[in-house]
Structures are given as structure tokens and as C-alpha cells.
Amino acid sequence: MKTKLSIQKPARVGTLAMLLLAVIITPQKVSAQAQKIKNVVLVHGAFADGSGWSAVYAILTKKGYKVTVVQNPMTSLEDDAATTKLAVDKQDGPTILVGHSYGGAVITQAGDHPKVAALVYVAAFQPDKGETVLQWVMTAPPAPESGILNPDEKGMVYYDLAKFHAGFGADIPKAQAEFMAASQGAFNVKGFVTPLTSAAWKTKPSYAVVSTEDKTLVPSIQKAMYKRSNTKVTEVKGSHAVFISHPEQVAKVITDAATAVK
């Protein structure tokens, strides 16, 4: 009887120790799986700046993500991609790279960075290597509300002040749209006509938000690009400024990408 007890006691202690260890470790494993990627870099497009991401930024940071907002110089595709890569350089691990509008071309060019784990396109262009943004703009008639003007004598492109609310952000307050129109930066047309030399969506998982009421980048163009690349699409009833008018839905696509990528 004594021999039997001396054998069983260590076995029971060992089992209890293993159970306690599992209880301690399991929550850590679950937490790591729930948020596999913590870094997000947000890239704005033409006729807007990084401040438009403020609501998305707030949502993501509250969820524990480390968010960086790029301020593109908008002097050329090469300069904007280089600026975005500088932001990715500073990340401490795998990163979700997000682009709105023309920013989609920027993340397509810059997304070959080794730290970029996935791409998220928000009502954004997604050209292939050798293609330009302008090529895609011309694949469908523009919406009557669109206010993209021809380049001026210095090669700068602006959005018509009178059309900004209806064309760029019909679902945001008029006063906000007017301020965005007044504060839009000078965008060099080179960003629209420079062929891409890289197409990161060919090698990185891609996700997209299609803004179904978009009057600047019409939905049919968005859908055609994303269908070609087999991008996972979420449709949102929003304007071109969908990242401002529907930040929760845009943030969800970003977090879905962060948790899905292996």
C-alpha cells in the first residue's frame, strides 16, 4: 500500500502543475492570436491629408493597435512611395498598409517592403506594374458630381471647390467638406501618370472597401480592379470619403486583415 501511494502522489502533483501552467499560458496565447499584427500605417490620397484618418486612428488605437499616419508630399508617385516606406521602416514588426484613393497606388508601389504583411484599399486605386492611375480613371465615364480639374500651368491638380461636397464627400457635413476643399494640398499630376514599377498585391494578401456611392472613383472601377486581383471586398454605402463617414466599418476591414494574415 505504501509503495502504491509513493507512486501516485508525484503523478497527481505533476498533473496539477501541468493544469496550472495551462491556465497561466492559455490567455496569453489567445491574446496573441486575437491580435496577430499590431502595426497599421495609413496613407491618404490626393485632395486630402492624413487628418482625414483621425476617426479610424482613434478606433484602432483603442483596440491596441500602433497606428502611423503618413503625410505624403504629393510631388510624385516615387516621392510618396518613398515617404510611405520610411514610415514602414520605423515599425517594429509586421504591418498592415492601408491606402485611400490615390494612396492605393502608393501602397501598391511601396507594399513590397518586407514588413508589410497585407494591404487594405479604401475606395482606392490598385494598378498593376506598368499601369497608371490615369489609365484606370479613363476606363469608365466620370460621375457628373466629380470635381477633379485638369492640371494647371504648373502641373498641379486640384478638386473643384464647388463640387467637393457632392463629389468627394456627400455623406460628411457640408462645413467639413468645405474645410477639406479649402485645405487641399497641391497635387502634382505626375502621381496620376507615372507607371508603377511594383505591384505588391500580387504577393501580399489584399482587402478592400468599395464605396458604393462614390462619385470620384466610381464603384465599377473599384470592383474591376479588385476582381482582377482577387482582393477580399467589403461594400460600404458611402462616398469617396468613406473613411471619414464610416470609420467603424473601415476600421473593421483593417482589423479583420490584421487577425486573418498568418
PDB file of all heavy atoms in Angstrom, residues 19-35:
ATOM      1  N   LEU A  19      -1.822  21.516 -15.252  1.00  0.00           N
ATOM      2  CA  LEU A  19      -3.077  22.242 -15.401  1.00  0.00           C
ATOM      3  C   LEU A  19      -2.916  23.716 -15.051  1.00  0.00           C
ATOM      4  O   LEU A  19      -3.439  24.599 -15.734  1.00  0.00           O
ATOM      5  CB  LEU A  19      -4.156  21.616 -14.508  1.00  0.00           C
ATOM      6  CG  LEU A  19      -4.697  20.250 -14.960  1.00  0.00           C
ATOM      7  CD1 LEU A  19      -5.589  19.652 -13.877  1.00  0.00           C
ATOM      8  CD2 LEU A  19      -5.476  20.390 -16.268  1.00  0.00           C
ATOM      9  N   LEU A  20      -2.185  23.991 -13.966  1.00  0.00           N
ATOM     10  CA  LEU A  20      -1.935  25.373 -13.580  1.00  0.00           C
ATOM     11  C   LEU A  20      -1.150  26.116 -14.648  1.00  0.00           C
ATOM     12  O   LEU A  20      -1.429  27.276 -14.949  1.00  0.00           O
ATOM     13  CB  LEU A  20      -1.173  25.409 -12.247  1.00  0.00           C
ATOM     14  CG  LEU A  20      -1.990  25.032 -11.005  1.00  0.00           C
ATOM     15  CD1 LEU A  20      -1.069  24.878  -9.795  1.00  0.00           C
ATOM     16  CD2 LEU A  20      -3.051  26.085 -10.723  1.00  0.00           C
ATOM     17  N   LEU A  21      -0.169  25.438 -15.220  1.00  0.00           N
ATOM     18  CA  LEU A  21       0.639  26.042 -16.281  1.00  0.00           C
ATOM     19  C   LEU A  21      -0.219  26.371 -17.489  1.00  0.00           C
ATOM     20  O   LEU A  21      -0.086  27.421 -18.117  1.00  0.00           O
ATOM     21  CB  LEU A  21       1.782  25.098 -16.665  1.00  0.00           C
ATOM     22  CG  LEU A  21       2.821  25.645 -17.651  1.00  0.00           C
ATOM     23  CD1 LEU A  21       3.530  26.850 -17.045  1.00  0.00           C
ATOM     24  CD2 LEU A  21       3.826  24.568 -18.018  1.00  0.00           C
ATOM     25  N   ALA A  22      -1.138  25.460 -17.805  1.00  0.00           N
ATOM     26  CA  ALA A  22      -2.032  25.697 -18.956  1.00  0.00           C
ATOM     27  C   ALA A  22      -2.929  26.901 -18.726  1.00  0.00           C
ATOM     28  O   ALA A  22      -3.185  27.695 -19.626  1.00  0.00           O
ATOM     29  CB  ALA A  22      -2.879  24.452 -19.213  1.00  0.00           C
ATOM     30  N   VAL A  23      -3.423  27.045 -17.486  1.00  0.00           N
ATOM     31  CA  VAL A  23      -4.290  28.176 -17.155  1.00  0.00           C
ATOM     32  C   VAL A  23      -3.549  29.499 -17.305  1.00  0.00           C
ATOM     33  O   VAL A  23      -4.079  30.496 -17.772  1.00  0.00           O
ATOM     34  CB  VAL A  23      -4.831  28.032 -15.710  1.00  0.00           C
ATOM     35  CG1 VAL A  23      -5.521  29.324 -15.276  1.00  0.00           C
ATOM     36  CG2 VAL A  23      -5.795  26.869 -15.635  1.00  0.00           C
ATOM     37  N   ILE A  24      -2.259  29.492 -16.907  1.00  0.00           N
ATOM     38  CA  ILE A  24      -1.452  30.709 -16.980  1.00  0.00           C
ATOM     39  C   ILE A  24      -1.114  31.069 -18.413  1.00  0.00           C
ATOM     40  O   ILE A  24      -1.180  32.216 -18.830  1.00  0.00           O
ATOM     41  CB  ILE A  24      -0.149  30.546 -16.162  1.00  0.00           C
ATOM     42  CG1 ILE A  24      -0.493  30.416 -14.669  1.00  0.00           C
ATOM     43  CG2 ILE A  24       0.789  31.724 -16.384  1.00  0.00           C
ATOM     44  CD1 ILE A  24       0.680  29.990 -13.814  1.00  0.00           C
ATOM     45  N   ILE A  25      -0.782  30.069 -19.231  1.00  0.00           N
ATOM     46  CA  ILE A  25      -0.290  30.305 -20.594  1.00  0.00           C
ATOM     47  C   ILE A  25      -1.421  30.569 -21.582  1.00  0.00           C
ATOM     48  O   ILE A  25      -1.319  31.404 -22.463  1.00  0.00           O
ATOM     49  CB  ILE A  25       0.561  29.110 -21.080  1.00  0.00           C
ATOM     50  CG1 ILE A  25       1.857  29.046 -20.252  1.00  0.00           C
ATOM     51  CG2 ILE A  25       0.884  29.229 -22.566  1.00  0.00           C
ATOM     52  CD1 ILE A  25       2.704  27.836 -20.564  1.00  0.00           C
ATOM     53  N   THR A  26      -2.550  29.869 -21.417  1.00  0.00           N
ATOM     54  CA  THR A  26      -3.622  29.934 -22.412  1.00  0.00           C
ATOM     55  C   THR A  26      -4.109  31.344 -22.708  1.00  0.00           C
ATOM     56  O   THR A  26      -4.225  31.733 -23.868  1.00  0.00           O
ATOM     57  CB  THR A  26      -4.813  29.046 -21.984  1.00  0.00           C
ATOM     58  OG1 THR A  26      -4.357  27.698 -21.891  1.00  0.00           O
ATOM     59  CG2 THR A  26      -5.937  29.131 -23.009  1.00  0.00           C
ATOM     60  N   PRO A  27      -4.417  32.202 -21.715  1.00  0.00           N
ATOM     61  CA  PRO A  27      -4.870  33.562 -22.037  1.00  0.00           C
ATOM     62  C   PRO A  27      -3.861  34.336 -22.862  1.00  0.00           C
ATOM     63  O   PRO A  27      -4.230  35.121 -23.726  1.00  0.00           O
ATOM     64  CB  PRO A  27      -5.042  34.197 -20.653  1.00  0.00           C
ATOM     65  CG  PRO A  27      -5.269  33.057 -19.724  1.00  0.00           C
ATOM     66  CD  PRO A  27      -4.413  31.953 -20.261  1.00  0.00           C
ATOM     67  N   GLN A  28      -2.559  34.092 -22.614  1.00  0.00           N
ATOM     68  CA  GLN A  28      -1.530  34.778 -23.387  1.00  0.00           C
ATOM     69  C   GLN A  28      -1.577  34.335 -24.839  1.00  0.00           C
ATOM     70  O   GLN A  28      -1.429  35.135 -25.750  1.00  0.00           O
ATOM     71  CB  GLN A  28      -0.157  34.505 -22.779  1.00  0.00           C
ATOM     72  CG  GLN A  28       0.000  35.090 -21.381  1.00  0.00           C
ATOM     73  CD  GLN A  28       1.328  34.705 -20.741  1.00  0.00           C
ATOM     74  OE1 GLN A  28       2.058  33.865 -21.267  1.00  0.00           O
ATOM     75  NE2 GLN A  28       1.636  35.337 -19.634  1.00  0.00           N
ATOM     76  N   LYS A  29      -1.803  33.041 -25.047  1.00  0.00           N
ATOM     77  CA  LYS A  29      -1.881  32.532 -26.422  1.00  0.00           C
ATOM     78  C   LYS A  29      -3.098  33.086 -27.137  1.00  0.00           C
ATOM     79  O   LYS A  29      -3.035  33.498 -28.283  1.00  0.00           O
ATOM     80  CB  LYS A  29      -1.933  31.001 -26.407  1.00  0.00           C
ATOM     81  CG  LYS A  29      -0.603  30.335 -26.087  1.00  0.00           C
ATOM     82  CD  LYS A  29      -0.724  28.829 -26.218  1.00  0.00           C
ATOM     83  CE  LYS A  29       0.619  28.145 -26.000  1.00  0.00           C
ATOM     84  NZ  LYS A  29       0.516  26.682 -26.127  1.00  0.00           N
ATOM     85  N   VAL A  30      -4.231  33.121 -26.441  1.00  0.00           N
ATOM     86  CA  VAL A  30      -5.463  33.638 -27.042  1.00  0.00           C
ATOM     87  C   VAL A  30      -5.293  35.104 -27.411  1.00  0.00           C
ATOM     88  O   VAL A  30      -5.680  35.552 -28.478  1.00  0.00           O
ATOM     89  CB  VAL A  30      -6.647  33.454 -26.071  1.00  0.00           C
ATOM     90  CG1 VAL A  30      -7.870  34.203 -26.589  1.00  0.00           C
ATOM     91  CG2 VAL A  30      -6.960  31.978 -25.889  1.00  0.00           C
ATOM     92  N   SER A  31      -4.681  35.875 -26.511  1.00  0.00           N
ATOM     93  CA  SER A  31      -4.464  37.293 -26.769  1.00  0.00           C
ATOM     94  C   SER A  31      -3.595  37.501 -27.987  1.00  0.00           C
ATOM     95  O   SER A  31      -3.863  38.351 -28.822  1.00  0.00           O
ATOM     96  CB  SER A  31      -3.819  37.946 -25.547  1.00  0.00           C
ATOM     97  OG  SER A  31      -3.558  39.299 -25.802  1.00  0.00           O
ATOM     98  N   ALA A  32      -2.540  36.704 -28.125  1.00  0.00           N
ATOM     99  CA  ALA A  32      -1.638  36.824 -29.271  1.00  0.00           C
ATOM    100  C   ALA A  32      -2.360  36.481 -30.561  1.00  0.00           C
ATOM    101  O   ALA A  32      -2.154  37.112 -31.587  1.00  0.00           O
ATOM    102  CB  ALA A  32      -0.432  35.914 -29.075  1.00  0.00           C
ATOM    103  N   GLN A  33      -3.243  35.467 -30.499  1.00  0.00           N
ATOM    104  CA  GLN A  33      -3.959  35.067 -31.704  1.00  0.00           C
ATOM    105  C   GLN A  33      -5.004  36.107 -32.090  1.00  0.00           C
ATOM    106  O   GLN A  33      -5.285  36.315 -33.256  1.00  0.00           O
ATOM    107  CB  GLN A  33      -4.628  33.714 -31.465  1.00  0.00           C
ATOM    108  CG  GLN A  33      -3.617  32.564 -31.381  1.00  0.00           C
ATOM    109  CD  GLN A  33      -4.268  31.264 -30.975  1.00  0.00           C
ATOM    110  OE1 GLN A  33      -5.435  31.235 -30.618  1.00  0.00           O
ATOM    111  NE2 GLN A  33      -3.514  30.190 -31.023  1.00  0.00           N
ATOM    112  N   ALA A  34      -5.607  36.763 -31.064  1.00  0.00           N
ATOM    113  CA  ALA A  34      -6.655  37.742 -31.340  1.00  0.00           C
ATOM    114  C   ALA A  34      -6.105  38.974 -32.049  1.00  0.00           C
ATOM    115  O   ALA A  34      -6.816  39.643 -32.766  1.00  0.00           O
ATOM    116  CB  ALA A  34      -7.333  38.153 -30.043  1.00  0.00           C
ATOM    117  N   GLN A  35      -4.852  39.267 -31.837  1.00  0.00           N
ATOM    118  CA  GLN A  35      -4.238  40.425 -32.494  1.00  0.00           C
ATOM    119  C   GLN A  35      -2.837  40.031 -32.956  1.00  0.00           C
ATOM    120  O   GLN A  35      -1.835  40.333 -32.343  1.00  0.00           O
ATOM    121  CB  GLN A  35      -4.167  41.605 -31.525  1.00  0.00           C
ATOM    122  CG  GLN A  35      -3.687  42.886 -32.205  1.00  0.00           C
ATOM    123  CD  GLN A  35      -3.776  44.079 -31.269  1.00  0.00           C
ATOM    124  OE1 GLN A  35      -4.770  44.254 -30.593  1.00  0.00           O
ATOM    125  NE2 GLN A  35      -2.738  44.879 -31.221  1.00  0.00           N
TER     126      GLN A  35
END
